[in-house]
């Protein structure tokens, strides 16, 4: 009996999700024992086969070519797995949605650069896959934990359901929360500090209680809290615990309750802090006047 077939596709992004998949090392043997890999960015084939049982797609829709390849993947796949913050949320590249395409190009390449005919046409907005096709399994993260990707793909090729928690990151963070859990009218810290302003960061205590902004309260669990374990505050790459939440707005709400100047400092970099990975699924793209795509 033949095994299920598996393909992987990379769209607008850094291909870090494929690197995370390759980090499985011998764990890839379990995946390849369960499925035949028939197409990937490393196979040299430009077009995906007409029928594949499971297709993993990483990257957001940033160009017309991305969109064409996404529709081809969806038409081919029995099960489509969106992997990474770009595919699920639009990702960090979605920050370009704040500006017209012409302005973004001018900032990147200068005002007097002639476009090569070999470059694909940029779309006016960076968008997640779910804006265009039905997604069967979503695995957020930048990049997602290797184990999450492998587990999702093994579940997909085995025909099993795949899901993980929808609590916030604080529930799996190992750091001690003392004042944060006490019912009090006082803030948990007298100061709000940037990471580089502290000579030493207590590796066991909640970042918010030390006056450091952390996106844990409004970020979905599932990454194992590896950043906070490495003494780095959460940046929110797993996206909100529920997609109907505005991740940035909810974080403002949370910070205002625990830090004295949290809201003010946060507003200095509202997008970069609260919507770094999720702006394409927030209200912001529709709130701005865009001037069309690359060739308009």
């Amino acid at each position: 009996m033949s095994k299920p077939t598996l393909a992987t596709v990379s769209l607008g992004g850094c291909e870090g999700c494929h690197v995370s998949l390759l980090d499985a090392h011998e764990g890839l043997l379990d995946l390849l024992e369960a499925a035949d890999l028939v197409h990937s960015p490393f196979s040299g084939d430009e077009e995906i086969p007409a029928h594949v049982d499971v297709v993993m797609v990483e990257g957001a829709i940033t160009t017309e070519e991305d969109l064409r390849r996404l529709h081809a993947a969806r038409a081919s796949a029995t099960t489509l797995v969106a992997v990474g913050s770009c595919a699920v949320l639009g990702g960090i590249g979605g920050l370009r949605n704040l500006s017209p395409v012409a302005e973004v190009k001018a900032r990147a390449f200068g005002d007097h650069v002639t476009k090569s005919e070999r470059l694909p046409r940029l779309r006016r907005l960076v968008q997640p896959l779910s804006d265009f096709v039905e997604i069967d399994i979503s695995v957020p993260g930048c990049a997602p934990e290797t184990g999450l990707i492998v587990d999702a793909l093994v579940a997909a090729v085995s025909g099993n359901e795949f899901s993980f928690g929808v609590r916030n990151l604080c529930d799996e963070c190992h750091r001690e929360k003392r004042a944060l859990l006490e019912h009090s009218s006082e803030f948990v810290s007298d100061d709000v500090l940037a990471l580089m302003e502290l000579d030493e960061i207590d590796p066991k205590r909640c970042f918010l209680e030390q006056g450091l902004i952390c996106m844990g309260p409004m970020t979905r669990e599932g990454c194992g809290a590896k950043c906070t374990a490495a003494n780095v505050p959460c940046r929110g790459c797993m996206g909100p615990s529920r997609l109907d939440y505005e991740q940035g707005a909810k974080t403002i709400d949370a910070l205002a309750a625990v830090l004295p100047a949290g809201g003010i400092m946060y507003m200095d970099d509202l997008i970069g802090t609260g919507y770094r990975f999720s702006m394409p699924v927030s209200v912001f793209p529709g709130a701005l006047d865009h001037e069309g795509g690359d060739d308009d």
Side-chain angles (χ1 to χ4, degrees):
M1 182 177 177
S2 60
K3 293 188 289 188
T5 51
L6 169 69
T8 70
V9 174
S10 180
L11 302 179
C14 67
E15 300 195 355
C17 298
H18 274 84
V19 174
S20 184
L21 175 60
L22 293 175
D23 280 346
H25 301 298
E26 61 269 25
L28 289 173
L29 298 177
D30 296 334
L31 180 60
L32 295 177
E33 185 176 332
D36 285 327
L37 182 65
V38 296
H39 176 84
S40 82
F42 315 111
S43 66
D45 302 321
E46 292 188 2
E47 301 299 330
I48 192 169
H51 175 73
V52 181
D53 293 302
V54 176
V55 178
M56 163 187 142
V57 180
E58 76 151 288
I61 302 303
T62 64
T63 69
E64 296 297 339
E65 176 64 8
D66 288 337
L67 186 56
R68 183 193 70 79
R69 295 177 62 211
L70 173 62
H71 283 305
R74 179 67 275 183
S76 171
T78 302
T79 301
L80 190 72
V81 183
V83 170
S85 297
C86 295
V88 178
L89 306 166
I92 201 166
L95 293 174
R96 84 157 164 87
N97 291 357
L98 291 171
S99 303
V101 169
E103 186 176 313
V104 172
K105 288 173 58 183
R107 176 71 66 89
F109 304 113
D111 294 324
H112 306 293
V113 176
T114 302
K115 177 188 170 185
S116 168
E117 294 299 323
R118 298 176 61 184
L119 292 176
R121 181 178 184 274
L122 285 176
R123 295 178 58 81
R124 70 184 180 90
L125 293 175
V126 174
Q127 293 174 265
L129 310 188
S130 59
D131 280 5
F132 303 97
V133 300
E134 181 178 354
I135 305 299
D136 300 301
I137 296 175
S138 294
V139 185
C142 184
E145 277 294 293
T146 300
L148 273 182
I149 301 176
V150 173
D151 288 349
L153 294 179
V154 169
V157 298
S158 304
N160 298 325
E161 291 189 4
F162 173 79
S163 63
F164 59 101
V166 293
R167 302 175 304 171
N168 64 45
L169 185 81
C170 298
D171 286 301
E172 64 178 3
C173 177
H174 72 288
R175 288 175 174 267
E176 296 176 4
K177 305 165 187 68
R178 303 167 189 166
L180 201 63
L181 300 180
E182 295 176 0
H183 189 70
S184 171
S185 60
E186 302 294 325
F187 294 122
V188 301
S189 169
D190 293 331
D191 300 304
V192 181
L193 303 167
L195 198 61
M196 65 287 293
E197 292 183 271
L198 286 178
D199 293 330
E200 184 177 355
I201 300 172
D202 186 336
K204 296 182 179 179
R205 189 181 175 197
C206 172
F207 284 113
L208 291 173
E209 293 192 4
Q210 298 180 69
L212 294 167
I213 293 178
C214 178
M215 288 290 290
M218 268 314 301
T219 298
R220 186 176 183 176
E221 65 176 334
C223 64
K226 293 180 69 174
C227 289
T228 59
N231 225 13
V232 177
C234 172
R235 300 186 305 160
C237 75
M238 291 290 286
S241 52
R242 287 172 44 186
L243 279 179
D244 53 342
Y245 283 163
E246 281 281 315
Q247 189 177 19
K250 281 292 184 182
T251 301
I252 293 175
D253 185 40
L255 292 180
V258 297
L259 297 176
I264 297 173
M265 182 173 178
Y266 181 69
M267 288 299 289
D268 285 344
D269 189 11
L270 173 63
I271 299 299
T273 302
Y275 293 95
R276 182 176 299 174
F277 300 93
S278 63
M279 203 183 73
V281 295
S282 75
V283 299
F284 280 97
L288 297 174
D289 180 23
H290 295 282
E291 299 176 2
D294 193 26
D295 298 326
D296 292 338

